[in-house]
Amino acid sequence: MAILIKNVLLPEQGKVNILIVDQHIVAIDNTILNLPEESKQIDASGLIALPGLVNGHTHAAMTLFRGFGDDMPLMTWLSTRIWPAEAKLTDEDVYWGTRLACLEMIRSGTIFFQDMYWRFNAMARAVQDAGLRAGVGAVMIDVAGEAQAQECRRLAEQTFEQSRDYSARIQYVLTPHAIYTVSEASLRWVADFSEKHQLPVHIHLSETHTEVTECLRQHGILPAIYLDRVGLLNSRAILAHGVYLSDPELDLIAQRGATLVTNPVSNLKLAVGSIFPYSKARARHIPMALGSDGAASNNSLDLFQDLKTFALIQKHADQDPTVLPAGDAWAIATGQKAPLFGQSGRIAVGEKADLLLISQNLPEITPQHDLISNLVYAATGHVVDTVIVEGRILMQGRHIEGEKEIQQEAIARARSLCKTS
């Protein structure tokens, strides 16, 4: 499949044509001749080509629980709303919840996401059908004891083998939930399995003060140090949240090359009581990404909205308006600061054919004194006109094939799962 994007504005290069053949960008020029047969042409006059966004941490199928029990204390919300609803989940529920998440992410410019949820095959099938890229695994929780631990390990091995049946756009990731929901023996098993197969490991870490105090009480050390002790702190580790990390922990994370993912909107909504230590992480050159967390606790998967919150909260925390300037925030949101995710955040010859076309004539993009500043501080996902992933058009003119069916199916399943009587 070949796509010629004509008359598109490429920042810092001006108006160009972009030629995509199969899965890569093969030419960027003012005039492109010798087009492959059956090329699709897009007249992109009035549009700007940009790299897609990267969501470093979410629970995609939790779109089914959006707005279900808002403004409640965390444990009350989990015990009275989320856990009872999740106990009823089927494969088809997770499939359609993930399809809804993918629909929302495509419409707001996300091309890659790291997921953590139940029912691997349903998630992977949804991502494959949607056309996005994702890191997907089978969440591990073994608080019920050894039998549950053995089942988690069996499921991880099984789903790892099954992952080979899906598109290369889907990367298998080990997903132990957290140090307080997974036993030390299972965490060490994950470390060994990760090392053997060179698999990333995606885990919540230091999201609440209680997690820190309990780790100190049970193990006598801080969470990141405990994670290192069990063999999980390395360059394959994806650490979600990290709002309660100490200086020694940040030093260790930097030494090991792990990636931090901040989820500012979810953390604010759940009132976790602390803010991601961006300036300290940046000073240590720690890889980092931006995440939405699940739609049950955000409630949006629009990273443009989260991007503004991310930048503002860091300025507020440091009492310094120069902290996290728009260019740095944009680089984080497009995956340029998280090499583990494999997204360069660049539009160039030889790069993957993953890009957005955004409308440049919308009020929130006007005037363009600084395009990136507008994207970070003013835009929402509604500026996205077209999304291309792996050389396939997923959205054009804000139209996505099958979107009404996806919404209808998700609504029906959400109503069934979220009955409270």
Side-chain angles (χ1 to χ4, degrees):
M1 174 73 177
I3 302 172
L4 176 64
I5 305 171
K6 301 186 298 182
N7 305 315
V8 69
L9 181 63
L10 193 58
E12 301 181 359
Q13 291 190 43
K15 189 171 289 188
V16 298
N17 299 325
I18 300 174
L19 179 60
I20 294 168
V21 177
D22 296 327
Q23 301 175 18
H24 292 87
I25 297 170
V26 299
I28 298 177
D29 205 340
N30 290 324
T31 58
I32 297 176
L33 304 176
N34 302 318
L35 294 179
E37 292 185 7
E38 300 181 2
S39 298
K40 178 177 178 60
Q41 298 191 26
I42 298 175
D43 183 358
S45 301
L47 300 177
I48 306 170
L50 292 168
L53 303 182
V54 170
N55 190 336
H57 173 69
T58 192
H59 312 287
M62 292 188 82
T63 52
L64 298 177
F65 308 134
R66 190 196 323 264
F68 183 55
D70 283 338
D71 309 320
M72 297 172 68
L74 175 60
M75 292 312 299
T76 303
W77 172 67
L78 287 172
S79 61
T80 66
R81 296 297 179 93
I82 300 303
W83 290 339
E86 285 185 328
K88 298 185 285 185
L89 282 169
T90 66
D91 280 2
E92 287 301 295
D93 292 330
V94 171
Y95 174 83
W96 288 107
T98 305
R99 285 302 304 271
L100 180 62
C102 290
L103 177 63
E104 183 178 356
M105 285 189 274
I106 291 168
R107 290 180 63 83
S108 54
T110 291
I111 61 168
F112 173 92
F113 65 99
Q114 280 287 341
D115 205 34
M116 178 192 288
Y117 209 55
W118 312 101
R119 299 180 179 272
F120 167 81
N121 286 291
M123 291 186 289
R125 182 163 54 94
V127 174
Q128 181 161 290
D129 291 349
L132 289 176
R133 300 185 187 275
V136 182
V139 69
M140 298 180 68
I141 293 176
D142 68 355
V143 290
E146 183 59 25
Q148 188 181 35
Q150 291 297 330
E151 176 60 16
C152 283
R153 297 171 200 177
R154 184 198 67 78
L155 189 60
E157 291 175 332
Q158 178 185 30
T159 52
F160 173 59
E161 293 299 323
Q162 293 170 339
S163 69
R164 297 168 182 172
D165 297 332
Y166 295 97
S167 165
R169 289 182 282 101
I170 298 166
Q171 179 186 31
Y172 187 79
V173 179
L174 291 163
T175 52
H177 176 263
I179 61 172
Y180 56 88
T181 51
V182 183
S183 65
E184 182 170 338
S186 287
L187 290 174
R188 290 184 181 278
W189 181 91
V190 169
D192 291 342
F193 197 78
S194 169
E195 176 66 26
K196 178 180 179 180
H197 298 286
Q198 292 297 291
L199 296 171
V201 177
H202 181 183
I203 187 170
H204 297 93
L205 188 75
S206 297
E207 183 178 4
T208 66
H209 186 258
T210 299
E211 177 183 341
V212 176
T213 57
E214 281 300 299
C215 187
L216 285 167
R217 184 183 66 81
Q218 293 180 27
H219 307 290
I221 50 180
L222 292 165
I225 298 170
Y226 173 70
L227 206 63
D228 188 56
R229 189 173 80 181
V230 299
L232 280 175
L233 198 63
N234 53 50
S235 61
R236 296 185 303 279
I238 302 162
L239 313 176
H241 297 292
V243 297
Y244 280 99
L245 291 170
S246 65
D247 287 346
E249 289 177 289
L250 289 167
D251 289 339
L252 186 59
I253 289 168
Q255 292 170 18
R256 299 292 189 257
T259 298
L260 289 172
V261 183
T262 178
N263 303 270
V265 172
S266 176
N267 291 156
L268 286 170
K269 184 165 178 279
L270 293 174
V272 297
S274 188
I275 294 171
F276 177 75
Y278 164 76
S279 294
K280 292 181 177 182
R282 182 179 184 275
R284 291 166 170 82
H285 306 287
I286 295 173
M288 67 181 85
L290 176 65
S292 64
D293 211 346
S297 65
N298 184 303
N299 298 30
S300 166
L301 300 180
D302 182 349
L303 280 187
F304 278 99
Q305 296 187 51
D306 290 28
L307 186 52
K308 179 175 182 176
T309 300
F310 175 37
L312 297 187
I313 197 173
Q314 294 302 326
K315 297 173 189 298
H316 176 77
D318 285 17
Q319 299 182 40
D320 182 354
T322 69
V323 167
L324 191 52
D328 290 351
W330 181 253
I332 290 170
T334 53
Q336 297 175 52
K337 301 298 183 180
L340 181 60
F341 295 160
Q343 307 303 308
S344 71
R346 298 175 61 241
I347 297 176
V349 173
E351 293 287 346
K352 298 172 185 173
D354 298 352
L355 55 89
L356 313 178
L357 302 180
I358 73 163
S359 302
Q360 62 175 315
N361 299 319
L362 296 173
E364 55 266 50
I365 304 295
T366 306
Q368 288 183 29
H369 298 303
D370 186 323
L371 172 62
I372 299 303
S373 179
N374 287 349
L375 294 172
V376 172
Y377 298 124
T380 68
H382 292 286
V383 302
V384 180
D385 177 271
T386 298
V387 176
I388 299 173
V389 174
E390 202 177 48
R392 175 186 169 192
I393 300 171
L394 305 185
M395 178 173 75
Q396 186 174 4
R398 293 200 59 77
H399 172 72
I400 301 172
E401 185 177 352
E403 56 187 311
K404 288 185 178 180
E405 178 196 2
I406 293 168
Q407 289 181 276
Q408 289 170 355
E409 285 283 351
I411 288 169
R413 292 178 181 280
R415 285 174 176 167
S416 176
L417 289 167
C418 298
K419 291 177 181 178
T420 56
S421 58

